[in-house]
Amino acid sequence: MTNNNSGSKNEEEVGSYFLEVARGAHKKKEEMEMEEVMEDEESPTELNTINSSGGFLVVSTDKMSVKYTSVNLHGHDVGVVQANKPAPVKRLVYYFEIYVKDSGAKGQIAIGFTTDNFKMRRQPGWEPHSCGYHGDDGLLYRGQGKGETFGPTYTANDTVGAGINYASHEFFFTKNGRVVGTVYNDVKGSLFPTIAVHSQNEEVHVNFGQKPFAFDLEDFEKRERMKQQTTVEKISLPPNVGHGIVRSYLLHYGYEETLNSFDMASKTTVPPVHIAQENGFDEQDIMYALNERKTLRQLIKNGEIDAALGKLHDWYPQIVQDDKSATCFLLHCQKFIELVGSLEEAVKYGRIQLAKFFGLAGFEDFVQDCVALLAYEQPQESSLGYLLEDSQREVVADAVNAMILSMNPNLKDSHGCLQSCLERLLRQLTACCLERRSLNGDQGEAFYLHRVLNIGYGILYRDSLALQ
């Protein structure tokens, strides 16, 4: 079963790749958490009393309502007030509402969005880089004095909302819980929720989400996501491509029993899979040594590192002949980790097997992390606790799996042994989503690959259990 044709350079690349994966496991988790914190933008919470046309209106002490107290004489004595923060952009939709308590003398109330340099004595929509839905005439104004037919008028006791749909690049407005209409958002830069009053005694209360909206925003977002999903599902693909990708994933990682159950369950429902011709993928590359890879993966996942090393010595001695290779290093580290609960045995093993890696470039920092586990009474709760998780065993099992795949004398793609087709597809998906979001000025929902993976693996795991 031994194969001496594999280049040592390829073996080094595979081992080094998974050493980096192991080293970066906790950093990746921290980075994912940091990404989500960074995406958690500040949202408007109240009206901005500093940047407003204060000579014509009065803002309540709680900064959640505004009243026009003057007598309007011309188009430059509008009472305008913005929110204290711009609308957050890293989400699917932003939305806020106003309740018209009093429509005043003329009902010249408006709701919309303006930029930070907007002229604060003009109605939203009357000036460039702004958009506003006006209550007295029901017109929509977009950067000029002339309005366009849009929706019904609104007056006292009406609740009116304004939102930004980042998926469709549109403004939308609502009245009493129903969408009035939408219009394309061509305004660049940060947009502030804005309200305006322009006749005596007009009074409105604003809701930035502190209490339930009259409009069902959650349902709106759900329907927007369904639209996106429907668009994706309209893309024409051969019916067996998804089946082939799942099958290649099971093959790649040596899940032989699940693969057999999967094939049996889909035998009568899925036509023959020919993804090799369509995607330059050769199934024979990952069929190699399937039974041996399955056995070794199970041993490592069970923490039986000595047994795994024994099998490797018997089946693939060239993988473990260099006791200072990255693959052997990961196996020895994992054996040490398995012994952490037994201090004396762990120390003894570390002195024999890990000591030789101290001082070696690329290994020393990881060795130090492993050894540092002994310093904690409850290592699982420490900053190094990730080393004791099942995911760390998976990394070692993946490394051994890839090393065996790289030994295939007929291997056509040396990089194909590192990741499955599914994972490479997800990397491409991530790149495309990030690029699309960048082209949209970083607006819209953030894409988190780990969320997709967790959902995808959860479904795959659930289905595999059902098949067994």
Side-chain angles (χ1 to χ4, degrees), residues 112-144:
F113 294 94
T114 59
T115 55
D116 58 354
N117 58 355
F118 182 74
K119 293 180 180 179
M120 298 303 289
R121 292 190 176 188
R122 298 281 285 167
Q123 290 273 15
W126 283 0
E127 295 292 325
H129 313 300
S130 67
C131 180
Y133 172 35
H134 293 208
D136 59 332
D137 53 19
L139 299 182
L140 183 78
Y141 292 80
R142 290 193 290 165
Q144 54 186 356

Side-chain angles (χ1 to χ4, degrees), residues 247 250 255-265 290:
R247 193 171 190 278
L250 297 173
Y255 296 123
E256 187 178 24
E257 292 176 5
T258 304
L259 175 67
N260 291 336
S261 299
F262 182 75
D263 285 343
M264 184 65 68
L290 179 59

Side-chain angles (χ1 to χ4, degrees), residues 124-400:
W126 283 0
E127 295 292 325
H129 313 300
S130 67
C131 180
Y133 172 35
H134 293 208
D136 59 332
D137 53 19
L139 299 182
L140 183 78
Y141 292 80
R142 290 193 290 165
Q144 54 186 356
K146 185 177 180 181
E148 52 193 86
T149 302
F150 187 68
T153 60
Y154 53 91
T155 185
N157 299 317
D158 284 329
T159 298
V160 185
I164 306 172
N165 185 336
Y166 293 110
S168 61
H169 313 294
E170 291 176 320
F171 293 117
F172 67 96
F173 296 89
T174 70
K175 178 184 175 182
N176 296 329
R178 296 191 176 187
V179 175
V180 170
T182 64
V183 64
Y184 182 72
N185 173 14
D186 58 357
V187 182
K188 305 300 181 184
S190 297
L191 290 169
F192 289 79
T194 305
I195 55 178
V197 284
H198 196 202
S199 73
Q200 194 169 27
N201 295 324
E202 289 176 357
E203 183 177 353
V204 298
H205 294 231
V206 65
N207 178 12
F208 292 119
Q210 294 92 335
K211 55 185 178 181
F213 292 124
F215 177 63
D216 192 340
L217 183 61
E218 186 176 336
D219 181 67
F220 181 80
E221 290 178 333
K222 188 183 297 183
R223 285 187 280 111
E224 285 302 309
R225 289 192 175 92
M226 283 299 298
K227 286 180 186 177
Q228 295 178 33
Q229 183 65 28
T230 301
T231 301
V232 171
E233 290 174 356
K234 285 180 180 177
I235 299 172
S236 178
L237 289 173
N240 58 349
V241 165
H243 174 270
I245 290 172
V246 172
R247 193 171 190 278
S248 71
Y249 175 86
L250 297 173
L251 271 170
H252 181 94
Y253 286 108
Y255 296 123
E256 187 178 24
E257 292 176 5
T258 304
L259 175 67
N260 291 336
S261 299
F262 182 75
D263 285 343
M264 184 65 68
S266 56
K267 196 171 185 179
T268 58
T269 57
V270 181
V273 180
H274 300 293
I275 59 174
Q277 290 83 347
E278 294 168 9
N279 300 293
F281 166 75
D282 192 343
E283 190 175 271
Q284 293 304 312
D285 283 356
I286 53 176
M287 283 288 293
Y288 181 73
L290 179 59
N291 187 262
E292 290 78 14
R293 290 188 290 114
K294 178 200 76 171
T295 300
L296 286 162
R297 175 173 293 279
Q298 196 59 54
L299 288 171
I300 295 169
K301 285 179 68 176
N302 291 340
E304 301 175 46
I305 308 303
D306 284 339
L309 282 166
K311 294 291 186 186
L312 283 170
H313 276 291
D314 292 341
W315 295 341
Y316 301 98
Q318 61 272 53
I319 291 179
V320 290
Q321 65 185 1
D322 179 5
D323 201 37
K324 292 185 179 179
S325 69
T327 305
C328 285
F329 171 70
L330 287 173
L331 284 162
H332 287 311
C333 285
Q334 191 59 40
K335 173 63 179 179
F336 177 85
I337 290 168
E338 303 295 343
L339 293 172
V340 163
S342 177
L343 181 60
E344 188 175 336
E345 289 185 54
V347 170
K348 182 178 178 182
Y349 189 85
R351 286 174 176 169
I352 297 172
Q353 297 295 349
L354 296 190
K356 57 193 171 192
F357 293 102
F358 277 100
L360 292 181
F363 295 122
E364 189 167 12
D365 58 341
F366 195 73
V367 174
Q368 289 174 349
D369 283 351
C370 292
V371 173
L373 286 168
L374 301 179
Y376 297 94
E377 289 185 8
Q378 294 182 309
Q380 294 90 342
E381 306 300 322
S382 72
S383 60
L384 300 171
Y386 73 96
L387 292 170
L388 299 169
E389 295 175 0
D390 288 342
S391 58
Q392 191 62 30
R393 289 178 177 174
E394 289 282 358
V395 171
V396 179
D398 289 348
V400 171

